Amino acid sequence: MPNSPITAADTVARLIVRNATPADVPAIRALFERAYDGAKVSSYSAAMIRGQINKFPEGQFVAEADGKLIGFCSSFVIAGQLALKPHDWTWITGGGYASRHDPNGDYLYGMEVCVDPDYRGLRIGQRLYDERKKLAWSWALKGIIYGGRLPSLKAALTRADHPYPTPEAYVAAVEEGREKDPVLTFQLRNDFKVIGLMPNYWPEDGQSMGYGVHLLWRNPQAPDEKEEARQKNYGGRLMDVVRVATVQYQQRRVKSFDEFVGMLRYFVDVTSDYRSDFCVFPELFSLQLLSMEDQELSPQEAIEALTRWTDPIKDALRDMAVRYNINIIGGSHPTMMPSGRVENICYVCLRDGNIHEQAKLHPTPNEVYWWNIEGGHELAAIDTDCGPIGVLICYDAEFPELARHLADQGANIIFVPFCTDERQSYLRVRYCCHARAVENQCYVVMSGNCGNLPNVANMDIQYAQSCILTPCDFPFARDGIAADTTPNVETVAFADLRLEALREARYEGTVQNLKDRRHDLYTTVWRER
């Protein structure tokens, strides 16, 4: 008798199932490549996976075998009145970002299950489904709803002998045990019941001819009253209150880099003493280093000279973040890229020692003309110990799709370092930032420069009124302003931001912008680089 081939599943020494984290995103996408032969990866982006994890971390699971990620399962909570109606995958999932997640919903929605083909002998799918059921029990939900694939449907309807006349006839045969479908048969064994068929559920799924089978599992332990259980089990990594400090920073001449760092350290020390979670500096706050130059430089020469300070600035901000136990949004600094491009980059230095980068995507015509600054290409939410955040540098806040992209990835606070020369310029950024707070039901924190830098080209005068903005609804400050500063005066503004208030506004507010979007009419597609 010939030996059976040895598969990866035969060599596993340790297998665990745990909640997914943002660090798992690259491995999850690699898993999709293996499981779907690359077919689904083109439309299932890293940003979508980050959004799923950040919106509902308890509902995303991965399976690991000897440290290798071999299974992924995503889900979110939703109202049954939405999920029990016919729908398609894009609409129900909010374009793949789990944007319809509603902590006050009564059903769990199964968004995705994916298993490495080399490990399919280990019942990974069963383990992931069991985790979903445990989650439904712990949240006291009524059950689980799912749109399942029918990978044998096309073959069954087109085979030469005894083809099924309709998809409904094929599903009925599987329910009665006369046919076996790799997915539906498994789901029926897990006590799911067929509600119906949904055409065009996932049009790209050729094997299923675009159909999804509408499935329901009822939780036998669901109580009539679930509020107590939800309060007990509602989790997540979000803190109840996040204290932010925005620094309205005065530009002035400095004689040395140490003097510049000493000014930054003063504000980090002060905001840390006030037990702030974030200290925010303005865009291009490092331009005052040009005041040290003895010779007159052209604007492009000046910016290139400034890029030499990139590593020392990053090292100083990281040291202060760790030393003072505070997350620092490092304004922005012109940075020379390996390709020779100059980009305007915000360095986010977390108090655990990690540094994240967010480039300005849209340099202003002024920046392009005077400094030859070019725009970056990626926009991602950044996971912190206070939940996911985003950064939009000045002009980027004037593009609504950018803030929406961050909100779709789970960002609750968007930081906007800015640099404007006069009041009209400032108000463009200010009004747009408040619109972004309303549109995305999130907090927006602005930090700008004041003061003057004579003899520094294109940085002569500044106008700023830094502020901390909120959505406009009952849980927030009357005018949607949590805190602001006196214009053009060096100072710090503080505010305590309740993340629970955002959840209340998003799911129970007077208006519910994120929840009420018409995903059936429009969507924004981001390119993965």
Side-chain angles (χ1 to χ4, degrees):
M1 184 175 179
N3 294 328
S4 300
I6 298 176
T7 66
D10 297 320
T11 62
V12 171
R14 184 170 180 265
L15 194 155
I16 62 170
V17 177
R18 58 170 176 80
N19 284 117
T21 70
D24 294 318
V25 170
I28 292 171
R29 296 202 81 219
L31 172 64
F32 283 167
E33 292 276 4
R34 301 193 299 274
Y36 293 110
D37 294 325
K40 200 171 184 177
V41 178
S42 60
S43 57
Y44 210 121
S45 69
M48 293 178 185
I49 302 170
R50 280 195 296 270
Q52 296 163 24
I53 295 171
N54 287 331
K55 283 187 174 62
F56 186 36
E58 301 93 329
Q60 322 310 318
F61 301 98
V62 293
E64 279 187 349
D66 295 335
K68 179 181 180 181
L69 196 146
I70 61 170
F72 174 62
C73 167
S74 62
S75 52
F76 58 91
V77 179
I78 192 169
Q81 63 184 6
L82 293 177
L84 290 170
K85 297 189 299 185
H87 53 266
D88 60 54
W89 188 88
T90 299
W91 181 85
I92 199 71
T93 66
Y97 292 90
S99 297
R100 292 194 184 278
H101 171 62
D102 180 358
N104 295 319
D106 48 2
Y107 283 87
L108 193 69
Y109 193 90
M111 187 170 173
E112 174 68 41
V113 173
C114 179
V115 177
D116 190 316
D118 290 337
Y119 291 83
R120 283 180 178 160
L122 297 174
R123 295 178 174 83
I124 304 301
Q126 183 67 61
R127 297 169 195 256
L128 295 171
Y129 268 68
D130 288 345
E131 291 299 322
R132 272 187 182 160
K133 289 181 178 179
K134 292 176 186 176
L135 183 62
W137 287 331
S138 69
W139 274 54
L141 299 173
K142 292 180 179 179
I144 303 172
I145 301 170
Y146 186 65
R149 296 183 65 235
L150 292 167
S152 297
L153 177 61
K154 184 176 181 180
L157 267 60
T158 57
R159 63 190 181 194
D161 57 323
H162 308 297
Y164 284 95
T166 63
E168 289 80 3
Y170 171 74
V171 170
V174 177
E175 285 184 278
E176 295 166 7
R178 294 183 285 110
E179 283 281 349
K180 287 189 176 181
D181 182 274
V183 175
L184 181 54
T185 300
F186 167 79
Q187 291 159 339
L188 294 173
R189 285 203 307 265
N190 276 276
D191 298 322
F192 279 81
K193 305 298 181 186
V194 175
I195 302 175
L197 271 175
M198 298 182 291
N200 297 314
Y201 180 77
W202 185 269
E204 292 84 357
D205 186 355
Q207 292 179 322
S208 304
M209 301 177 67
Y211 280 92
V213 57
H214 205 175
L215 295 158
L216 170 65
W217 172 81
R218 294 192 181 277
N219 180 6
Q221 301 183 22
D224 293 333
E225 193 65 42
K226 59 181 179 295
E227 185 59 30
E228 180 180 347
R230 174 166 290 117
Q231 289 179 356
K232 179 180 178 181
N233 292 288
Y234 188 81
R237 296 157 294 158
L238 305 184
M239 300 166 58
D240 289 334
V241 174
V242 177
R243 179 166 293 176
V244 297
T246 179
V247 178
Q248 188 156 286
Y249 185 75
Q250 181 174 336
Q251 292 289 323
R252 71 203 91 185
R253 295 184 66 87
V254 292
K255 297 178 180 178
S256 68
F257 181 75
D258 288 343
E259 182 183 357
F260 167 69
V261 171
M263 294 175 182
L264 301 184
R265 183 177 292 111
Y266 167 79
F267 287 107
V268 172
D269 189 5
V270 167
T271 54
S272 175
D273 282 346
Y274 279 81
R275 301 184 64 81
S276 300
D277 295 294
F278 290 95
C279 175
V280 192
F281 288 101
E283 178 188 24
L284 299 174
F285 70 129
S286 59
L287 276 172
Q288 67 184 136
L289 291 171
L290 291 177
S291 64
M292 300 187 305
E293 297 290 337
D294 295 329
Q295 56 183 343
E296 185 174 344
L297 302 175
S298 70
Q300 290 190 23
E301 289 173 335
I303 285 299
E304 290 186 10
L306 194 60
T307 64
R308 296 197 295 267
W309 295 104
T310 299
D311 288 338
I313 288 174
K314 289 167 61 177
D315 291 342
L317 291 177
R318 177 168 53 187
D319 178 72
M320 284 185 271
V322 174
R323 190 180 302 275
Y324 292 96
N325 190 31
I326 192 170
N327 300 307
I328 299 175
I329 309 297
S332 76
H333 173 74
T335 300
M336 182 71 70
M337 309 304 291
S339 63
R341 294 159 45 95
V342 177
E343 295 185 6
N344 189 6
I345 294 179
C346 175
Y347 294 100
V348 178
C349 299
L350 303 182
R351 49 189 163 198
D352 63 3
N354 284 317
I355 299 180
H356 298 267
E357 300 180 7
Q358 179 57 62
K360 189 173 186 177
L361 303 188
H362 299 87
T364 62
N366 194 294
E367 290 173 87
V368 174
Y369 177 80
W370 287 102
W371 294 331
N372 200 30
I373 287 179
E374 300 185 44
H377 298 290
E378 296 182 1
L379 182 65
I382 298 169
D383 197 53
T384 75
D385 56 359
C386 300
I389 63 145
V391 174
L392 296 176
I393 302 175
C394 199
Y395 192 29
D396 284 343
E398 299 180 32
F399 295 83
E401 59 271 27
L402 301 188
R404 178 56 50 84
H405 189 49
L406 290 172
D408 277 337
Q409 296 177 63
N412 295 300
I413 307 173
I414 296 177
F415 295 96
V416 181
F418 70 95
C419 178
T420 50
D421 55 354
E422 42 81 37
R423 190 168 184 269
Q424 288 177 322
S425 301
Y426 161 74
L427 289 176
R428 283 197 298 269
V429 182
R430 168 70 175 260
Y431 292 151
C432 287
C433 282
H434 218 152
R436 304 299 85 87
V438 171
E439 294 161 354
N440 298 288
Q441 296 180 291
C442 65
Y443 297 113
V444 177
V445 182
M446 299 177 62
S447 176
N449 294 296
C450 60
N452 308 311
L453 278 178
N455 302 321
V456 175
N458 205 38
M459 194 66 175
D460 302 299
I461 58 174
Q462 310 297 315
Y463 185 96
Q465 185 179 17
S466 303
C467 56
I468 301 166
L469 305 171
T470 77
C472 293
D473 209 342
F474 289 107
F476 308 102
R478 186 190 68 177
D479 299 323
I481 304 170
D484 60 5
T485 65
T486 301
N488 282 349
V489 174
E490 186 171 58
T491 187
V492 180
F494 297 89
D496 284 351
L497 306 181
R498 291 184 55 247
L499 299 175
E500 179 60 35
L502 291 183
R503 290 190 283 264
E504 181 182 345
R506 289 172 176 177
Y507 305 116
E508 299 176 5
T510 306
V511 292
Q512 300 168 29
N513 304 67
L514 290 178
K515 186 177 177 183
D516 291 340
R517 283 180 291 167
R518 290 290 303 275
H519 294 287
D520 56 324
L521 291 182
Y522 56 86
T523 186
T524 301
V525 178
W526 279 76
R527 295 179 180 175
E528 291 287 329
R529 293 179 63 86

